[in-house]
Amino acid sequence: MAEQLWKGRFTKAVDSRVNDFNSSIRFDARLYREDIAGSMAHAAMLGAQGILSYEDTDAILEGLEAILADLDSGALAIDPAAEDIHTFVEQALTARIGEAGKRLHTGRSRNDQVATDLRLHLRRRTAGLKAQLEELAGVLCRLARQHAGTVMPGYTHLQRAQPVTFGHHMMAYVRMLLRDLGRFDDAVARMDAECPLGSAALAGTTYPIDRTAAARTLGFAAACANSLDGVSDRDFCIEIAAAAAVCMMHLSRLCEELVLWASWEFRFIELDDAFTTGSSIMPQKKNPDVPELVRGKSGRVFGDLIALLTVMKGLPLAYNKDMQEDKEAIFDALDTLSLCLDTLSPLLASTRVRPEAMRAAAAEGFINATDCADYLAKKGVPFRDAYRITGGLVALCIRRGETLETLPLADYRQADEAFGEDVYEAVRLDRCAEGRACTGGPCAASVHKQIDAAEAALAARARARGGR
Ligand code: ARG
């Protein structure tokens, strides 16, 4: 069993159950890169400030670099009996370089260490997630481009309401994903603004450390302004978990629609065989398991967010062991989101869209009734009257098995004298979709504009990433 770093004060060995209960190595082992980066920045700063000798500083830096290389290559395995990743790295270093390794912890604590490591780790994780979100947005833009003019019924209350286009519908999700990206950007920018390193246990240190230098080395804008806040703050976890939760809520809505559209009741899309599953008893079944699971996993990410908020609620300053619970929650939230995005993008890219089914549904649902009322209103009939007259016509159509496109002009004119031959053009489905040309509307030209803007935003993000 590896020795605890804090063993000095104690006369008895810790009960093995307490050791197991207390240990976080199971889940914080994944912070090893960031723990080593943080330790290297700290050691370099101690050396530059003359707190450590050049020889010790060099030995520590070389030792840490070698440990990183060996962990990466698998030559060194993380000891599952270590209390946590900070203990493991420090003990591995001391085992390799002796005395100098024991000087690394000068002027710091695991409290500022873990707060720093976690920020660095989340910076890396969110960068990967953002790339995945951009990929999904790109897939949706391509679908939208192919179906900019594909008329489908738009729904309210899941009742056919007014004509939209499939491209427009896809671009609504792209808008959500762009906001999700913005939420991650904001959270990460705030997280990267301040580095907790040097807050030490809670009250800073009497050594003449240069917190700003260490912060800059690690890519932070500055050292955090208050040492108590530095070790107590987990807002960055909560904000990132919140961004993940909102994003999962968006994915769950998209997935709910995919489930509906893939059903025989809709048949608006056909999911690729490679992304569906069968039933063990019903040979005809092709189940949308992937979108259903994404929908289900949204609950789990919301749970992670609530777990983080609940862990932090009512905690006195500064570090409390409760805070060790932050890691499993935030890791699970990001792992889950990443897993969902990883499957959803290729699923959507391989989905077959069935414009003929969308059009058939659009033709049946009186979704041009508003256009009929608008036609009358444009002829001078007050909209409220136009609405009532059109309602009567819809009821007539339903009784007679007609649609607004097939209803004879005589019936129109009997309802209101203002109707003329041009009503048929007004209620033509394509015209109803194409006529909705206001900014943000569903017509093909508007959809293309939306796609251009979204793709430009995605390209700018890719450029900014490349330039960094
Ligand atoms: N494993 C701990 C955590 O994840 C590291 C900090 C421990 N600090 C302490 N004072 N026990 O929160």
Side-chain angles (χ1 to χ4, degrees), residues 442-455:
C443 78
S446 158
V447 172
H448 281 294
K449 252 191 226 160
Q450 296 177 48
I451 300 168
D452 291 344
E455 287 184 341

Side-chain angles (χ1 to χ4, degrees), residues 5 23 52 97 114 228 239 272 276 290 304 359 369 385 435:
L5 295 173
S23 165
L52 287 186
I97 68 168
V114 73
L228 284 172
E239 286 190 45
D272 193 83
T276 47
V290 170
D304 292 326
R359 167 165 288 277
D385 294 333

Side-chain angles (χ1 to χ4, degrees), residues 113-134:
Q113 227 182 319
V114 73
T116 306
D117 292 1
L118 194 51
R119 284 176 190 243
L120 291 173
H121 184 75
L122 295 181
R123 184 195 291 166
R124 179 158 64 86
R125 280 305 311 273
T126 48
L129 267 174
K130 287 196 274 181
Q132 286 184 287
L133 275 171
E134 288 164 15

Side-chain angles (χ1 to χ4, degrees), residues 31 69 75 144 153 155 167 217 274 328 343 352 392 410 430-431 450 464:
L31 297 176
Y155 295 79
T217 307
E328 283 171 292
T343 318
R352 189 165 81 83
D430 288 289
R431 202 216 61 90
Q450 296 177 48

Side-chain angles (χ1 to χ4, degrees), residues 308-321:
L308 282 165
L309 285 167
T310 313
V311 164
M312 296 310 291
K313 176 187 177 297
L315 274 192
L317 304 185
Y319 179 82
N320 299 273
K321 189 71 172 185

Side-chain angles (χ1 to χ4, degrees), residues 170-246:
M170 291 297 98
M171 289 314 290
Y173 284 104
V174 171
R175 296 312 305 174
M176 299 180 216
L177 295 181
L178 289 174
R179 286 196 298 277
D180 290 328
L181 283 162
R183 263 182 284 274
F184 279 113
D185 288 344
D186 292 348
V188 170
R190 225 175 341 272
M191 178 174 77
D192 280 351
E194 293 197 342
C195 178
L197 198 61
S199 299
L202 72 163
T205 173
T206 55
Y207 290 101
I209 59 172
D210 182 350
R211 293 194 52 209
T212 305
R216 295 266 163 83
T217 307
L218 292 172
F220 291 92
C224 65
N226 180 299
S227 66
L228 284 172
D229 182 46
V231 288
S232 304
D233 170 37
R234 293 293 183 274
D235 291 1
F236 59 96
C237 283
I238 294 171
E239 286 190 45
I240 289 172
V246 174

Side-chain angles (χ1 to χ4, degrees), residues 6-308:
W6 37 265
K7 181 176 141 289
R9 182 200 189 284
F10 292 81
T11 51
K12 256 189 183 176
V14 171
D15 189 290
S16 66
R17 286 161 295 195
V18 173
N19 268 327
D20 294 343
F21 186 64
N22 211 30
S23 165
S24 53
I25 193 81
R26 236 179 26 262
F27 46 85
D28 67 16
R30 65 159 100 181
L31 297 176
Y32 78 85
R33 285 196 193 91
E34 289 80 14
D35 193 72
I36 291 173
S39 290
M40 289 180 70
H42 181 67
M45 180 279 292
L46 291 177
Q49 294 297 102
I51 302 166
L52 287 186
S53 69
Y54 285 127
E55 299 73 43
D56 284 348
T57 308
D58 279 352
I60 290 172
L61 293 178
E62 275 169 31
L64 287 171
E65 232 166 77
I67 289 172
L68 177 61
D70 289 351
L71 285 172
D72 278 344
S73 72
L76 176 65
I78 289 173
D79 178 4
E83 184 179 329
D84 55 28
I85 190 61
H86 327 294
T87 306
F88 172 77
V89 170
E90 191 182 316
Q91 285 174 342
L93 180 69
T94 305
R96 288 184 178 202
I97 68 168
E99 202 68 7
K102 298 193 210 160
R103 298 191 204 278
L104 170 62
H105 213 53
T106 310
R108 74 167 186 187
S109 151
R110 283 183 296 163
N111 298 351
D112 58 341
Q113 227 182 319
V114 73
T116 306
D117 292 1
L118 194 51
R119 284 176 190 243
L120 291 173
H121 184 75
L122 295 181
R123 184 195 291 166
R124 179 158 64 86
R125 280 305 311 273
T126 48
L129 267 174
K130 287 196 274 181
Q132 286 184 287
L133 275 171
E134 288 164 15
E135 188 195 333
L136 178 59
V139 169
L140 292 173
C141 282
R142 281 192 288 283
L143 268 176
R145 184 93 61 200
Q146 285 160 19
H147 295 285
T150 298
V151 176
M152 71 178 279
Y155 295 79
T156 63
H157 312 269
L158 203 56
Q159 303 283 321
R160 290 173 202 167
Q162 290 182 341
V164 296
T165 52
F166 187 66
H168 193 54
H169 204 116
M170 291 297 98
M171 289 314 290
Y173 284 104
V174 171
R175 296 312 305 174
M176 299 180 216
L177 295 181
L178 289 174
R179 286 196 298 277
D180 290 328
L181 283 162
R183 263 182 284 274
F184 279 113
D185 288 344
D186 292 348
V188 170
R190 225 175 341 272
M191 178 174 77
D192 280 351
E194 293 197 342
C195 178
L197 198 61
S199 299
L202 72 163
T205 173
T206 55
Y207 290 101
I209 59 172
D210 182 350
R211 293 194 52 209
T212 305
R216 295 266 163 83
T217 307
L218 292 172
F220 291 92
C224 65
N226 180 299
S227 66
L228 284 172
D229 182 46
V231 288
S232 304
D233 170 37
R234 293 293 183 274
D235 291 1
F236 59 96
C237 283
I238 294 171
E239 286 190 45
I240 289 172
V246 174
C247 184
M248 284 299 298
M249 177 272 289
H250 291 152
L251 298 187
S252 81
R253 297 183 74 172
L254 172 60
C255 286
E256 167 67 12
E257 303 216 89
L258 295 178
V259 171
L260 285 172
W261 292 341
S263 71
W264 278 86
E265 281 66 20
F266 278 82
R267 298 198 70 201
F268 284 5
I269 57 170
E270 193 182 335
L271 299 178
D272 193 83
D273 279 3
F275 287 91
T276 47
T277 53
S279 155
S280 58
I281 173 168
M282 297 166 282
Q284 85 284 10
K285 291 287 287 290
K286 187 168 164 182
N287 293 332
D289 281 16
V290 170
E292 288 174 288
L293 255 183
V294 172
R295 199 174 57 184
K297 282 180 190 291
S298 61
R300 157 180 191 144
V301 176
F302 302 169
D304 292 326
L305 170 62
I306 296 299
L308 282 165

Side-chain angles (χ1 to χ4, degrees), residues 322-336:
D322 315 42
M323 290 158 76
Q324 179 164 288
E325 289 291 312
D326 59 0
K327 279 170 283 299
E328 283 171 292
I330 188 66
F331 293 163
D332 184 70
L334 300 191
D335 289 347
T336 304

